[in-house]
């Protein structure tokens, strides 16, 4: 039984709370959030203790592991504090919006990076994980093309956009990690940003859609198609094409019902609304993998370096989108 | 090049006319219909000669084969006349509504039945034919269950119903043949008729829906689900389940487009409206198979006996539906 | 929070145990099983107490509700004991294999039947429940045809068959309830039994496949297609066809992955192996619905009478299969 | 009835020959090919005359229209000769591999470009055409993203590659036209070429895969994913995503059969082998549209300018792929 402190009690914390309920090997002991009353809303039903003070939760004797789902700017400090306190860490993406702060964290961790796992939950989606296992087993031969469609249902609010770090660091970063799940060594990035949805996003200097192309060291090319708005739900698809065949993850439907009428056949309900619904199994799988790795001393994966590499790709994509030039990555992006 | 006379110039004749256009091995030389002007409508565009007199067409020197698509009560006479004239015959189903007339025909043909092929076009549908070939090759092992869904888009007009011979002889007869395509020896028939659509059908003493269950000599059971109305088009599906697996023919869509919007995903257009659209390839395949068999002297299949057996099953189903008892077939229904 | 005693610790109990883990409103307090050690295997991880004595669990002060998943012959006694002890009951199907024992139970309950809910879990499958809600709302108009395909992955062992009560009472009973979910008033039943899979099933006087046809008071006809063996998994499908359209529940796949290679496209994994995997959400939904109804004093549904009616249909189907005659139900089968 | 001369008797001519057979409004009168015997193979079955001399066919009195399917380097001369002879022209893509020759042609035509239609057959594919009609009608709102997957089944032979003009002019050119079908004004092009399949393609200085991104004047972005090898057939898909929803053309299957067995469910046959099978309806539709436009005096579309614009995009994509820079198109690419 692994005992957890959860830092942050927002939307993503709610998703994790559901995983705790269903996981017999995890126990949520503490929830910390500086907003009065926030921690209680999650701690109460879970039978955990609530606090305003993250450090109290991190350092509690009955805590083995820390789940960081506080706002991005706090991640670096929380990770460091938790590792200093001897706790294993599962941290939501991204590590930070600033590469220099990420590098400072790595310096400060000084060899203890292996205590930290990044919350790239999609690696644990049952369909994506199945594709990964089968690709690794050679089912499609050598990977030549990866295509990701990743569209949010609706644009985030103006304030969110302002502090998000931009579409590539905030939204595409999950897709960058998914590309690296299949093609860890990316050597070139190009990107086309779009402003077709919300004027306030353009005004904030951000894009509301993007197509990003990444070339791997082995010549494979990955394409990521993003939009901040999608009327039919959260559009999340993946295809991995190789010399021997292709594996494709269709989007997930809320049930298996199809309707038929005078003007249509085989109609389904729209796709799940957003990540909380779409990736509920992925969050559960991520928690289980973290627990298993901590238990067995196995490597925590995706690693902090995976988190850093996703950020490297986000920076490169932004630069490419703004310059109209392919960005060549300065050094191998392989995991150290 | 096989030269044809077509008897009858109605709806089904139009379907065949399209097959002639596309088939380089067939030539339509004569079209006969007693309704003034009817034959011309098909003969004209096809460059064929029109006549009011079926016998003129049948006996023409430049005719090798006769395609009978005149009204059902004329079939027996037309078949006999064509065979007497030394022509090969492709006749629309059913042979006749009366079993005694069918038996009279067989007596009169006196061994020349092999000159006649029955127009059970669905055997030539690309999907059903593919399933048949694969089942024959053993892909699903021994056949245990056959399920056919066969729904017409809309009830036929009152006058049609009156002279149709009833749902089993008129509509289900195609499905009976499809069952026999996979399970030629049927030993028992039960059926549940329905009257849920059009009062005038009940008033005519006919059913507007039916579920028929047929047991084969080897223990397999086939189920046919019929309805005279289907809002989403012509619902034509087949599944053949066996000891090793299953082959399933989904319905055919007009194109491969799916639409996505706020209240739906993966929506297709309705199914093809009716048999002329749905079975266009089946009609073409049927004509090609007939020509090939005539050319090579191969057996004409489905045979006249297949036509008789389908009628045997239709009679049994009607009896079963009216009595609430399973009808055991008096004699083996295998092809003579 | 509803506190439960679970009677029986076999396979189906394991399925329910998972629902308890995930349901924050339910607490498993006792598990009873006469086989030494059996109850502990479920009670232990759940933090519940184990006992060999069902009555101890039923009568415990800290138990509000009893979940009966002991062998079928014990159901009647357990239901009665639990109701006598003032507890709400959720009982696995069937009530009993003997109609006279069911009637004795009803007499003994003497008006307290409303304290009992039958475990027809499939009513709570997300897809079937969605179809039911939409049919009830009128989306397909008046229901005319219901088609259920329900195939087990593999034949049960010889001993199981011997005490199962036969395919109709053991397996089809779930499908009978599903038919009644849409068409509560069944007036006629016909059935064709098959023996094509395992000789020992025929030797035991049972069938290993069946097609059952049921006519409702409103003229609708339902068809149930059963097999005790299915190489591609647990084949569970439903379609409800009406005057305005159709709703169809496709089978459930383990994930959304499709593979493509030299000899195939769009290939999925086989269907879920069996009911524990296929209906995991249905079991969870059933428990939640039971808790909600107990809490609010709402009706427990499906009711004991629903359980009795499913048994009536099973008896009728068996009689029809053995006699080759349609069985007319002697009295309205509506819920009392 | 429009009377045709067909120039060239190769593979693509065979595809068109089938359209002539099925089209009652077209008559193939002449087939010209400089290879002795080649023209006869198509002319014979079609009842047309064969010649080695293209000009004889072009200038024949019984010819109204010329179908140019001779090798690319001859297109310009053939178009010019046919227009000079007063004939309408349907010309296979591309006009020429050299933009300067294209411009010379336009100069020589001197206002008679409207007599020429380009053979971008995919615009007439039933699914793509349906999507276009619905997008034009506003069904998806304003178009924001177009995604095309277009993969050939196998790399062409070495000699073909040498004279093909490169992947962008030879293969992607169809996709460029499809992008322009939805987004006629392209303002920027980027591309990533790949060499992962056949070393001889790299040696020839060509790519064997590519991802191309195109930005339209309205901010929409289109992505084209190409590969010269695809084990599961000819992979041809399209999706058009807009502010209100999405329309998607799935690939086409040879029939509607799905198979189920111990290790799989819902498996289909591979996709059609190549363009002759996949686009058979598109070729027929193209011919019909050409005939209709000639008959009614309506505009021939896609136009010669559409052919030129596709070539502009091919040149831009090649430049972008080789430079790693986004290419801004110098002038509006709208149809003159």
């Amino acid at each position: 039984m692994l005992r957890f402190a959860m830092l942050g009690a927002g939307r993503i914390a709610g998703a994790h709370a559901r995983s705790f309920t269903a996981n017999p090997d995890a126990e949520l002991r503490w929830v910390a959030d500086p907003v009065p009353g926030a921690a209680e809303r999650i701690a109460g039903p879970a039978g955990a203790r609530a606090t305003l003070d993250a450090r109290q939760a991190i350092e509690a004797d009955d805590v083995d592991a820390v789940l960081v789902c506080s706002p991005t700017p706090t991640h670096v400090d929380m990770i460091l504090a938790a590792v200093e306190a001897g706790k294993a860490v599962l941290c939501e993406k991204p590590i930070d919006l600033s590469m220099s702060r990420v590098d400072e964290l790595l310096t400060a961790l000084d060899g203890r990076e292996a205590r930290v796992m990044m919350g790239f939950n999609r690696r644990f989606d049952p369909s994506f994980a199945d594709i990964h296992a089968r690709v690794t087993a050679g089912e499609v031969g050598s990977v030549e093309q990866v295509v990701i469609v990743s569209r949010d249902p609706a644009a985030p609010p103006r304030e969110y956009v302002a502090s998000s770090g931009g579409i590539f660091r905030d939204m595409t970063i999950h897709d960058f990690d998914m590309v690296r799940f299949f093609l860890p060594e990316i050597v070139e990035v190009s990107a086309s940003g779009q402003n077709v949805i919300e004027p306030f996003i353009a005004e904030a200097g951000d894009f509301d859609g993007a197509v990003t192309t990444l070339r791997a060291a082995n010549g494979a090319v990955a394409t990521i198609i993003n939009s901040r708005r999608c009327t039919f739900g959260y559009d999340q698809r993946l295809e991995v094409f190789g010399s021997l065949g292709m594996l494709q993850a269709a989007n997930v439907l809320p049930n298996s019902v199809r309707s038929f009428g005078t003007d249509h056949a085989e109609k389904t309900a729209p796709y799940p609304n957003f990540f909380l619904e779409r990736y509920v199994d992925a969050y559960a799988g991520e928690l289980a993998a973290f627990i298993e790795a901590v238990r067995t001393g196995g490597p925590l994966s995706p690693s902090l370096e995976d988190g850093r590499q996703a950020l490297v790709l986000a920076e490169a994509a932004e630069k490419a989108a703004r310059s109209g030039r392919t960005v060549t990555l300065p050094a191998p992006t392989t995991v150290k």
Side-chain angles (χ1 to χ4, degrees), chain A:
Chain A
M1 179 71 73
L2 207 68
R3 300 165 301 172
F4 280 80
M6 185 189 278
L7 312 184
R11 189 167 56 165
I12 193 79
H16 288 299
R18 279 193 274 171
S19 301
F20 279 108
T21 304
N23 191 318
D25 301 322
E27 201 173 352
L28 186 59
R29 287 289 177 94
W30 288 84
V31 180
D33 197 297
V35 177
E40 280 76 3
R41 279 195 295 274
I42 287 182
R49 297 172 66 180
T51 176
L52 298 173
D53 177 8
R55 299 214 173 238
Q56 185 186 10
I58 289 171
E59 289 162 12
D61 283 347
D62 61 345
V63 163
D64 306 308
V66 175
L67 178 51
V68 182
C69 26
S70 49
T72 299
T74 70
H75 287 183
V76 164
D77 288 347
M78 295 296 116
I79 290 171
L80 196 55
V83 171
E84 296 282 1
K87 310 300 166 75
V89 180
L90 173 55
C91 180
E92 275 302 317
K93 63 88 213 170
I95 309 175
D96 196 273
L97 297 180
S98 146
M99 187 62 78
S100 61
R101 286 213 70 206
V102 171
D103 289 337
E104 284 165 31
L105 171 64
L106 284 165
T107 303
L109 285 175
D110 191 23
R112 292 168 299 175
E113 304 90 79
R115 300 289 291 165
V116 185
M117 174 166 152
M118 285 306 296
F120 287 124
N121 61 300
R122 294 185 195 171
R123 292 194 182 205
F124 303 95
D125 173 77
S127 295
F128 300 164
D130 182 52
I131 290 179
H132 188 261
R134 293 162 73 175
V135 166
T136 303
E139 187 170 326
V140 303
S142 75
V143 174
E144 294 170 357
Q145 297 181 328
V146 172
V147 183
I148 294 172
V149 173
S150 175
R151 295 177 177 129
D152 282 359
R158 189 184 300 258
E159 321 76 66
Y160 181 95
V161 168
S163 65
S164 71
I167 192 170
F168 295 111
R169 282 177 191 81
D170 177 61
M171 177 180 174
T172 322
I173 198 153
H174 272 297
D175 307 308
F176 289 134
D177 183 65
M178 188 52 57
V179 167
R180 289 192 65 258
F181 197 27
F182 292 96
L183 300 169
E185 281 196 64
I186 297 301
V187 296
E188 281 179 20
V189 181
S190 0
S192 299
Q194 296 183 269
N195 286 104
V196 290
I197 300 173
E198 288 287 1
F200 75 76
I201 295 179
E203 287 157 18
D206 196 2
F207 302 111
D208 51 27
V211 174
T212 308
T213 307
L214 306 101
R215 184 191 302 274
N218 72 347
V221 171
T223 307
I224 301 168
I225 292 157
N226 292 133
S227 171
R228 283 289 199 185
R229 177 183 59 196
C230 181
T231 59
F232 47 93
Y234 190 39
D235 195 9
Q236 296 285 300
R237 291 176 277 150
L238 168 67
E239 77 185 43
V240 179
F241 173 86
S243 52
L244 300 180
M246 180 168 73
L247 288 163
Q248 190 183 62
N251 211 341
V252 165
L253 288 160
N255 58 38
S256 72
V257 178
R258 293 183 177 272
S259 81
F260 301 72
T262 47
D263 69 345
H264 67 279
E266 305 184 8
K267 181 172 83 166
T268 72
Y271 291 131
N273 181 56
F274 209 1
F275 62 95
L276 298 181
E277 297 83 5
R278 171 64 172 80
Y279 287 118
V280 60
D281 291 338
Y283 283 113
E286 175 186 65
L287 185 66
F290 176 74
I291 292 169
E292 177 68 9
V294 170
R295 251 189 186 167
T296 61
L300 294 182
S301 172
S303 67
L304 203 55
E305 179 62 21
D306 288 321
R308 202 182 75 91
Q309 291 299 343
L311 201 60
V312 166
L313 298 182
E315 291 204 340
E318 175 139 22
K319 193 172 157 193
R322 300 207 179 279
S323 68
R325 297 199 189 178
T326 298
V327 172
T328 304
L329 294 183
T333 66
T334 45
V335 178
K336 289 182 192 181

